[in-house]
Amino acid sequence: MVSMDKLVSLCKRRGFIFPSSEIYGGLNGCWDYGPLGVELKRNVKAAWWDDMVGHHDRTTAPAGAPSAFDMVGLDCAILMNPEVWEASGHVGGFNDPMVDCRETNTRYRADQLLVFRMEPVDSTTATADQSLFASPGEAGVTPDDDLIAPHRKRIKAITKKGGDYRLTPIPDALQDDALRARIFAPGASEPGTLTAPRAFNLMFKTHVGALEDNSSVAYLRPETAQGIFVNFKNVCDTTRVKIPFGIGQLGKAFRNEINPRNFTFRSREFEQMEIEFFCRAADAEDWYRYWRDRRFQWYVDLGLSTEKLRLREHDENELAHYAASCADVEYEFPFGFSELEGIANRTDFDLRRHMDSSGKDLRYFDDQEPDPAKRRYLPYVIEPSAGSDRAVLAFLCDAYTEDEVAGELRTVLKLHPRLAPIKAAVFPLVKKDGMPERALTLYRQLRQQFSTFYDEKGAIGRRYRRQDEAGTPFCITVDGDTLTDDTVTLRERDSCEQIRLRAEEVGAYVRDRVGG
Ligand code: GAP
């Protein structure tokens, strides 16, 4: 598996992802997509939009779906009336528990600070130590070595006394004053420097207009979903959608994460790809299973390795109070299995909250229902909620490969051709004998059809390697024979196999394989 260091380095070197405002030292939790990154991310978002919304066939039930259904899209403002966020529960409840270390002035998310102690495996040969240690880590995924790293010296001193020790987690230790007094925070020289956990609201606040007082407060949306709920009536009134139907939206979301981490995985500014699917309460669990399985399959179809993907159903005590069911699509990143997307049956919670708060009747009117008492109702909602930055990160991790070609090590991004930022690169074998001119003509024809790159600099092998690192599926070389029979060499990225075909056939050949 690729290490994060290698991936971050490739992303920087090849122009996929840069730290935001890097020349000023960056801004924690914010990232800029470079020339290759922006194409990759646009392709991920386009694949999502086309597959889920744009190319949806409303006349036929897709495989596994309980019936045919409608899909439409929305693009809502990032700034919304702040009452939206009161009603949705984000003003009162969108909090993470936070602790501060008074010695190192570092802030942590309490639920991501794992507290453990060194426990002797055999108390006759090793002595117990009362110290507790805290280390940051996504719960359940941090390897032991990472947990120990911030305390290596102190732990060495304990284990030096002899005997074997194991790490024993101490859950809820941060909430207990007495236990907290014994905890060494990461990098702290004495125990007891962590504050008690307190709630921290993740929404970014701003002010609308010239006055900066309570009356002008607005929030940068922390999710795109609420824009869909508050437009539910508008969509019903202006389109001819009938339940069941879904509304998709793609766009920026902002969260003042306490600890942005793991490259783009947890950012403060990111993009979401969300669907709110409206259906009858009685059918909600069937639709929940349909969307859960369809969304999982989407990642498989775009090339993520099935052995690194899993669907994790939430157990009852993990479910949000309004959710009837929820599952996460998880991917095994270099830092462990973590959430790519959540799919939830949110019942009628959101529409009911907005109906109560706004005083507007948001019930759906079913004019086909024979029983008048059942014609108006609040539908249930299935929500598949994905992040495009996390999807990009997973596709990059999965595609990163180091292999050997003709005795030479190469780094190659084996991205699905649909996602590849550049679909084809055109090279003249040498910079003379009319080859650049013929290659440029071909390049200009191809770039009308898909993203194409032209390169005439350096040895041909080096040009191949550059495109391998960019994930370009096809490289086309114009050589001496091209000038007589107008055939070119087409090299496939993953197998490095080369075929010969007529220059006029290249466009159709590549289009066929990049699909979408
Ligand atoms: N409307 C439901 C909702 O927003 P969520 O689990 O908080 O649910 C959905 O977010 C998805 O958005 C996540 O699965 C993840 O892909 C993405 N996401 C959430 N927070 C993120 C962050 N700080 N950085 C990058 N992506 C994030």
Side-chain angles (χ1 to χ4, degrees):
M1 185 187 298
V2 59
S3 71
M4 279 316 275
D5 286 350
K6 274 192 177 175
L7 189 79
V8 172
S9 151
L10 175 89
C11 285
K12 177 79 206 297
R13 185 169 79 243
R14 294 313 317 263
F16 278 96
I17 302 173
F18 308 124
S20 159
S21 41
E22 193 181 8
I23 59 168
Y24 290 101
L27 182 65
N28 200 5
C30 299
W31 300 93
D32 294 340
Y33 287 78
L36 287 181
V38 69
E39 296 295 341
L40 171 59
K41 195 173 178 195
R42 274 165 52 92
N43 292 342
V44 169
K45 290 189 289 181
W48 181 88
W49 186 268
D50 291 347
D51 295 348
M52 299 299 132
V53 185
H55 295 170
H56 171 73
D57 176 355
R58 67 199 59 238
T59 64
T60 324
S67 69
F69 56 90
D70 275 312
M71 288 297 294
V72 293
L74 273 180
D75 183 11
C76 305
I78 285 170
L79 296 174
M80 300 168 82
N81 187 310
E83 285 182 44
V84 170
W85 306 110
E86 298 274 357
S88 67
H90 283 82
V91 169
F94 194 50
N95 302 317
D96 274 343
M98 162 190 91
V99 295
D100 288 309
C101 172
R102 284 183 290 258
E103 183 181 332
T104 62
N105 290 326
T106 312
R107 180 160 284 181
Y108 302 98
R109 244 176 80 172
D111 57 336
Q112 290 177 352
L113 211 48
L114 307 183
V115 178
F116 63 93
R117 75 187 189 110
M118 305 291 297
E119 190 151 285
V121 173
D122 175 358
S123 55
T124 57
T125 56
T127 41
D129 186 281
Q130 292 308 306
S131 310
L132 300 181
F133 302 94
S135 283
E138 303 276 342
V141 300
T142 314
D144 288 355
D145 241 24
D146 285 358
L147 276 183
I148 291 175
H151 310 284
R152 197 166 294 287
K153 244 172 125 180
R154 193 168 307 277
I155 284 174
K156 218 171 159 189
I158 296 173
T159 50
K160 229 179 171 173
K161 293 179 194 156
D164 287 336
Y165 291 83
R166 64 176 159 240
L167 304 186
T168 305
I170 315 285
D172 301 328
L174 289 163
Q175 276 78 20
D176 183 307
D177 291 348
L179 290 178
R180 220 174 38 253
R182 285 168 37 203
I183 299 176
F184 281 92
S189 59
E190 54 179 272
T193 59
L194 289 172
T195 61
R198 55 187 192 281
F200 174 76
N201 193 291
L202 296 184
M203 281 199 296
F204 278 102
K205 253 188 198 169
T206 185
H207 293 271
V208 172
L211 278 182
E212 286 203 8
D213 60 17
N214 280 344
S215 68
S216 65
V217 164
Y219 302 96
L220 301 191
R221 68 179 177 199
E223 60 172 24
T224 60
Q226 298 304 322
I228 300 180
F229 293 125
V230 301
N231 276 293
F232 173 70
K233 194 171 154 40
N234 281 338
V235 173
C236 289
D237 290 350
T238 55
T239 63
R240 293 164 64 184
V241 287
K242 295 257 173 283
I243 275 180
F245 73 91
I247 305 178
Q249 174 163 218
L250 244 167
K252 289 272 188 183
F254 302 82
R255 296 184 189 176
N256 199 359
E257 297 284 356
I258 296 169
N259 274 137
R261 54 198 286 145
N262 291 330
F263 200 20
T264 56
F265 180 82
R266 194 175 299 288
S267 309
R268 290 188 166 131
E269 177 176 343
F270 55 98
E271 274 182 287
Q272 287 188 315
M273 311 187 286
E274 298 200 291
I275 294 169
E276 306 303 328
F277 188 81
F278 302 93
C279 60
R280 282 180 172 274
D283 305 330
E285 277 303 297
D286 287 342
W287 283 112
Y288 163 72
R289 282 188 289 274
Y290 166 70
W291 279 108
R292 182 197 60 189
D293 297 346
R294 178 166 172 191
R295 290 302 307 147
F296 182 87
Q297 190 58 37
W298 187 77
Y299 295 101
V300 176
D301 291 346
L302 285 172
L304 287 191
S305 331
T306 43
E307 65 273 19
K308 289 202 175 143
L309 270 176
R310 72 182 183 196
L311 199 54
R312 194 180 63 78
E313 200 79 47
H314 287 204
D315 55 37
E316 232 157 74
N317 52 19
E318 211 184 333
L319 286 177
H321 62 93
Y322 49 77
S325 325
C326 186
D328 288 344
V329 178
E330 295 185 336
Y331 177 75
E332 191 180 13
F333 290 96
F335 43 86
F337 270 103
S338 299
E339 177 188 331
L340 262 186
E341 168 162 356
I343 300 99
N345 172 355
R346 295 179 67 100
T347 67
D348 60 3
F349 173 81
D350 305 87
L351 286 179
R352 190 170 293 285
R353 290 286 291 247
H354 286 302
M355 184 158 94
D356 293 348
S357 300
S358 66
K360 301 283 186 306
D361 187 355
L362 299 183
R363 286 175 304 163
Y364 174 76
F365 180 69
D366 185 351
D367 56 6
Q368 307 292 306
E369 170 59 55
D371 180 353
K374 292 185 180 163
R375 278 188 197 143
R376 276 196 192 280
Y377 63 92
L378 274 183
Y380 265 35
V381 171
I382 310 303
E383 178 189 70
S385 174
S388 51
D389 305 83
R390 278 196 196 169
V392 165
L393 186 61
F395 287 123
L396 282 170
C397 290
D398 214 75
Y400 187 104
T401 312
E402 286 172 352
D403 60 14
E404 212 181 288
V405 174
E408 212 188 290
L409 274 183
R410 73 162 179 165
T411 301
V412 52
L413 283 186
K414 295 187 172 177
L415 288 166
H416 190 288
R418 226 180 134 188
L419 302 182
I422 302 169
K423 308 300 184 202
V426 180
F427 313 144
L429 183 62
V430 288
K431 251 166 78 177
K432 58 181 184 183
D433 301 335
M435 289 182 216
E437 290 74 10
R438 180 65 190 96
L440 274 168
T441 308
L442 181 60
Y443 158 72
R444 287 182 191 123
Q445 282 164 359
L446 297 181
R447 62 178 298 216
Q448 305 295 323
Q449 307 170 52
F450 38 77
S451 59
T452 310
F453 189 78
Y454 175 78
D455 190 3
E456 58 179 29
K457 289 198 188 75
I460 192 82
R462 295 199 49 190
R463 281 181 265 168
Y464 281 148
R465 296 292 169 274
R466 279 203 290 267
Q467 293 309 313
D468 288 342
E469 282 199 345
T472 308
F474 301 104
C475 289
I476 297 122
T477 306
V478 165
D479 55 23
D481 289 344
T482 314
L483 306 177
T484 53
D485 62 9
D486 210 36
T487 62
V488 293
T489 299
L490 183 140
R491 172 206 186 249
E492 200 272 332
R493 176 196 65 200
D494 299 351
S495 64
C496 295
E497 266 170 25
Q498 303 195 359
I499 58 167
R500 199 82 197 165
L501 74 174
R502 295 182 58 74
E504 65 189 11
E505 294 164 354
V506 171
Y509 183 94
V510 174
R511 265 201 328 271
D512 238 35
R513 277 149 189 83
V514 300

